[in-house]
Amino acid sequence: QVQLVESGGGLVQAGGSLRLSCAASGRTFSNYGMGWFRQAPGQEREFVARISWSGGRTNYADGVKGRFTISRDNAKNMVYLQMNSLKPEDTAVYYCNFLSGAIPLGDYWGQGTQVTVSS
């Protein structure tokens, strides 16, 4: 059974930083790319960043390039999102998921972690 547990969100002022963590289980973690996504109130869930199974390749949404860094620890089944220079428009619930290519795998999503950036 797939489980995704996101943590590390909070309230931060613009320009601040947060590090999100995701504990993933239920699949062989090191076989899958992993992604971070976010959903702001009233909006569709959107792609933020993804990382290949080995960690050797990463991709970012244009709006977070240069500010966010995705990483993973295959020994711990963890994926991380370091977020720097946060902006109010980064306010959203952040989710992680296993990927098939660039697509979230399956219909299951965790509870997410709320990130709120004040101006």
Side-chain angles (χ1 to χ4, degrees):
Q1 182 178 357
V2 172
Q3 282 198 315
L4 300 161
V5 181
E6 300 91 348
S7 62
L11 173 63
V12 63
Q13 289 189 329
S17 298
L18 284 172
R19 188 191 193 214
L20 306 184
S21 299
C22 168
S25 62
R27 301 184 190 277
T28 304
F29 183 78
S30 58
N31 285 355
Y32 291 90
M34 295 294 295
W36 282 98
F37 301 80
R38 67 187 180 186
Q39 188 169 20
Q43 298 189 21
E44 297 285 323
R45 186 175 288 143
E46 65 177 5
F47 165 76
V48 175
R50 64 176 178 260
I51 187 166
S52 63
W53 64 272
S54 67
R57 285 178 289 127
T58 57
N59 295 92
Y60 298 91
D62 287 344
V64 308
K65 282 180 183 176
R67 299 188 298 121
F68 290 11
T69 303
I70 188 172
S71 62
R72 66 189 295 159
D73 184 337
N74 285 350
K76 296 181 179 179
N77 288 10
M78 297 287 294
V79 61
Y80 306 99
L81 188 68
Q82 178 66 43
M83 306 187 296
N84 298 329
S85 303
L86 282 160
K87 303 176 181 180
E89 51 263 44
D90 295 320
T91 294
V93 179
Y94 284 70
Y95 303 88
C96 65
N97 213 330
F98 293 92
L99 298 178
S100 174
I103 307 301
L105 191 61
D107 296 327
Y108 173 79
W109 293 89
Q111 84 289 346
T113 186
Q114 175 71 49
V115 172
T116 303
V117 185
S118 62
S119 57

